[in-house]
Structures are given as structure tokens and as C-alpha cells.
Amino acid sequence: LVNPQIQNVTIIEQAIWKHNGTLKIGHKADGSFGDSESSVFFDNEKSIIVECITLIKCLDNLRIHPRNVGFIKMDIEGAEYIVIDNIKDLLGAYKPNLYLSIHHHLLTERQVYYMLSDLFHIYANCYVYDANGKNFSVNRDTIIKNRLLDCVFTNKPSK
């Protein structure tokens, strides 16, 4: 473990996805697995099959009630559109803070628009942070227009 002071972390060697089973993941032709461009959107001769599970099934397996999830970090190289669609009922019911990395270059503007529409229906606030840790409130149109990458969705007001 990189940070042994953290005791409540469990590593699940499965991809969170829209169904349980398997999933093909690849990387850009000039990349390699583990870089920032491994994705379900790259299919080539080096693609691999990985086990996948829905977030609800994963939580169920771990005996964690969704109300006890306070934070989700999602940085899944364009697949955020697919997973957000699959978990939007959970997000709407329990509203865990969501750190979302949006990969505009792997999604259409329409996909980003609908994903953000769902999230802004669920969450009251969305913030981006600058290099100094200062946060700025943003809306859907600002995220799309400026192709903002890392956004925090929450129902808590800014401090």
C-alpha cells in the first residue's frame, strides 16, 4: 500500500461497467496499458479482456450500502458517459460527491451534453479547481465551451 495510514480501501480487480462479465480494453496504437489512454474505445491486436462489474453489484459484494458512499472518483478515459448513465439512479438517490474527469476528445459533444444534463439535474453545484486549490463554480455550458476536464459535482456549497 502506498499510504498505509489509510485503512478503509479495498482493491477490486474488476472494471466498473454497465454490466457484469467481461469487457475488452485497448490502448492507442502508440501507447501501452497503464498509460492515460487505456480505454474501451481503443480496439486493436493488443486489446485485452478484463472482468467487469456494475457499481451496484460491487457494493453489494462488499456489503456496502450506497448511502455509505460519500465520494466517487471517475477517470475512465471516455467511458464516463456510459457508466454515469448506468449509475445515475444511485447518484440521484444518494448524491455522493463525484469527481469526474471528462474526456472530451473521446466523447461527442452530444454525449457530454447529455451526461452533464443528468448530473446537473442531480447535483446543485459543480466546481473546478485551479492550481492553487481555489474553486470556481461552473455550469454545463461553461464545461462544454471550455472543454473543462476535472469537475467536482456536489450538493454542498463552496467554502
Side-chain angles (χ1 to χ4, degrees):
L1 218 64
V2 174
N3 191 342
Q5 294 83 8
I6 298 175
Q7 300 296 315
N8 62 346
V9 174
T10 302
I11 296 173
I12 307 299
E13 293 186 0
Q14 294 173 297
I16 298 296
W17 193 236
K18 64 181 179 177
H19 60 76
N20 300 308
T22 59
L23 173 66
K24 187 183 269 191
I25 295 180
H27 55 78
K28 288 179 22 176
D30 60 345
S32 62
F33 286 108
D35 68 11
S36 64
E37 288 292 321
S38 299
S39 175
V40 298
F41 297 113
F42 300 123
D43 187 6
N44 56 43
E45 68 281 347
K46 294 182 182 177
S47 294
I48 61 171
I49 303 293
V50 299
E51 294 291 321
C52 63
I53 190 169
T54 66
L55 180 59
I56 293 292
K57 180 67 175 162
C58 181
L59 293 173
D60 187 51
N61 288 351
L62 295 169
R63 295 187 171 98
I64 298 173
H65 194 284
R67 77 172 156 259
N68 295 324
V69 175
F71 180 80
I72 295 173
K73 178 183 186 270
M74 188 178 302
D75 184 358
I76 51 178
E77 310 310 317
E80 57 271 14
Y81 170 77
I82 296 164
V83 174
I84 291 291
D85 187 58
N86 183 258
I87 67 169
K88 64 185 170 190
D89 291 341
L90 178 144
L91 297 176
Y94 302 103
K95 297 176 178 45
N97 295 312
L98 174 67
Y99 176 102
L100 180 67
S101 187
I102 304 170
H103 295 80
H104 296 269
H105 65 290
L106 296 172
L107 297 169
T108 67
E109 189 171 308
R110 182 182 181 118
Q111 288 171 319
V112 174
Y113 177 90
Y114 284 115
M115 176 180 66
L116 292 175
S117 294
D118 286 340
L119 292 173
F120 277 103
H121 180 74
I122 295 166
Y123 293 99
N125 302 300
C126 180
Y127 301 104
V128 296
Y129 291 79
D130 68 14
N132 298 316
K134 181 173 173 26
N135 66 27
F136 300 90
S137 180
V138 293
N139 62 29
R140 180 190 62 208
D141 295 334
T142 301
I143 294 169
I144 293 171
K145 178 182 175 197
N146 295 297
R147 298 176 65 88
L148 299 177
L149 305 176
D150 297 317
C151 303
V152 177
F153 291 85
T154 184
N155 281 321
K156 296 175 184 164
S158 174
K159 292 183 178 181

